[in-house]
Amino acid sequence: MRRLYIILACMIFCITTYADVRNKLFYYTNPSTPFSYIFDVALVGGGMDPQPGEISLAHNGVLFADELPEFNKATLEVLRQPLEDRKITIARSKYTIEYPCSFMFVASMNPCPCGYFNDPTHHCVCTPGQIQRYMNKISGPLLDRIDIQVEITPVPFKDISKAQPGEPSSAIRDRVIKARHRQEERFKDIPGVYCNAQMTERMIHQYAEPDETGINLLRMAMERLNLSARAYNRILKVARTIADLEGCENVQSDHLAEAISYRNLDRSDWAERGL
């Protein structure tokens, strides 16, 4: 599968203006990291002679957006459909071009402009209005399309200074590889589908349907957290992946609980937390 990913990436790079194939392959092996002042055409593709944008150059790879609220809001909004369809169509008067863009979207942001909101060791100097305007730069529909949203709190010095080793990366890598193999085996008869993230709604009901306890847990989360219908499908996809990482055949309630805990930014009041 890795060989197929590289071939598909090279096909995209061959029609760009990059210097040589060696640079293209090197670029492919690293995450694509567009700057916050990027224009929407450079991000999704376009121009008089339509070229692939950053999202297509990151096909089967990672697109990392640092300081997400610093991006132009209109630029971020054009990501909504590519994240859903995993392809981008560029229309011109005489023709249309379709580029693939199945990428893993990773983003980071501060909780406020100064970066210290809810920090136990620093005082935030931002006003409630500044915090709300800052967080409102990320729209709800865009957040809906991000599967995992986690708030990270500062790590105390006593925890940083601990010498106790954690789980080695090699063990985590082996567990992820085994989970991907399970997914490839699950979707081997379905063309174009290799992992849980690519499941359609029908596939979700077939491979990630929870039991009665899980359904009740999901219903409670949807009602209390005011989650959207799209978030419902995203939670089931993540829960299916958690089950694969644990080697479980069926999605259980603890997998759903963990998946729900990873969606703590797309609740109805998330942009008003600074008030």
Side-chain angles (χ1 to χ4, degrees), residues 20-114:
D20 54 49
V21 176
R22 178 179 299 178
N23 285 341
K24 295 169 188 176
L25 286 176
F26 175 79
Y27 186 84
Y28 171 71
T29 58
N30 292 273
S32 179
T33 53
F35 294 104
S36 59
Y37 50 79
I38 191 172
F39 292 103
D40 52 356
V41 173
L43 186 63
V44 301
M48 295 185 62
D49 182 18
Q51 295 285 307
E54 289 287 342
I55 61 174
S56 294
L57 296 177
H59 181 60
N60 288 330
V62 177
L63 182 74
F64 177 62
D66 193 17
E67 295 292 347
L68 192 62
E70 299 300 330
F71 284 74
N72 183 281
K73 186 171 184 177
T75 301
L76 292 178
E77 290 302 295
V78 300
L79 288 174
R80 287 163 53 176
Q81 206 58 38
L83 283 170
E84 194 75 22
D85 297 338
R86 299 180 179 273
K87 61 184 179 181
I88 180 71
T89 301
I90 302 172
R92 291 295 177 264
S93 58
K94 296 183 179 180
Y95 58 89
T96 60
I97 295 179
E98 183 178 283
Y99 290 125
C101 57
S102 180
F103 58 91
M104 180 184 293
F105 182 55
V106 181
S108 66
M109 61 179 288
N110 286 319
C112 67
C114 77

Side-chain angles (χ1 to χ4, degrees), residues 53-255:
E54 289 287 342
I55 61 174
S56 294
L57 296 177
H59 181 60
N60 288 330
V62 177
L63 182 74
F64 177 62
D66 193 17
E67 295 292 347
L68 192 62
E70 299 300 330
F71 284 74
N72 183 281
K73 186 171 184 177
T75 301
L76 292 178
E77 290 302 295
V78 300
L79 288 174
R80 287 163 53 176
Q81 206 58 38
L83 283 170
E84 194 75 22
D85 297 338
R86 299 180 179 273
K87 61 184 179 181
I88 180 71
T89 301
I90 302 172
R92 291 295 177 264
S93 58
K94 296 183 179 180
Y95 58 89
T96 60
I97 295 179
E98 183 178 283
Y99 290 125
C101 57
S102 180
F103 58 91
M104 180 184 293
F105 182 55
V106 181
S108 66
M109 61 179 288
N110 286 319
C112 67
C114 77
Y116 292 125
F117 175 69
N118 209 26
D119 190 308
T121 60
H122 294 83
H123 176 68
C124 176
V125 298
C126 302
T127 64
Q130 287 177 319
I131 296 174
Q132 185 172 15
R133 284 192 298 271
Y134 180 79
M135 301 181 78
N136 276 335
K137 291 181 180 180
I138 315 301
S139 69
L142 179 60
L143 277 174
D144 263 352
R145 291 164 170 82
I146 299 177
D147 296 346
I148 298 177
Q149 309 154 8
V150 181
E151 291 182 88
I152 306 297
T153 56
V155 180
F157 176 77
K158 63 178 181 179
D159 294 332
I160 297 177
S161 59
K162 284 182 180 178
Q164 183 179 359
E167 185 179 13
S169 298
S170 58
I172 298 174
R173 181 178 184 272
D174 290 340
R175 189 164 65 248
V176 170
I177 290 175
K178 290 178 181 178
R180 288 302 296 260
H181 286 166
R182 291 190 188 96
Q183 295 172 32
E184 290 172 9
E185 181 66 22
R186 178 181 300 130
F187 305 120
K188 64 181 180 181
D189 297 326
I190 306 175
V193 179
Y194 311 107
C195 62
N196 294 333
Q198 297 172 320
M199 286 194 296
T200 63
E201 188 168 354
R202 178 174 295 181
M203 295 177 195
I204 292 174
H205 289 296
Q206 182 177 355
Y207 299 113
E209 190 71 19
D211 55 17
E212 189 64 28
T213 303
I215 289 290
N216 293 332
L217 179 63
L218 268 174
R219 182 185 300 111
M220 186 184 305
M222 296 289 291
E223 293 174 355
R224 290 188 177 182
L225 305 179
N226 294 318
L227 301 177
S228 67
R230 184 178 286 110
Y232 174 86
N233 288 337
R234 301 280 175 167
I235 289 171
L236 289 177
K237 289 181 181 181
V238 174
R240 176 67 269 178
T241 301
I242 295 171
D244 289 338
L245 288 169
E246 294 185 359
C248 297
E249 186 65 27
N250 299 317
V251 175
Q252 301 172 4
S253 57
D254 57 328
H255 303 144

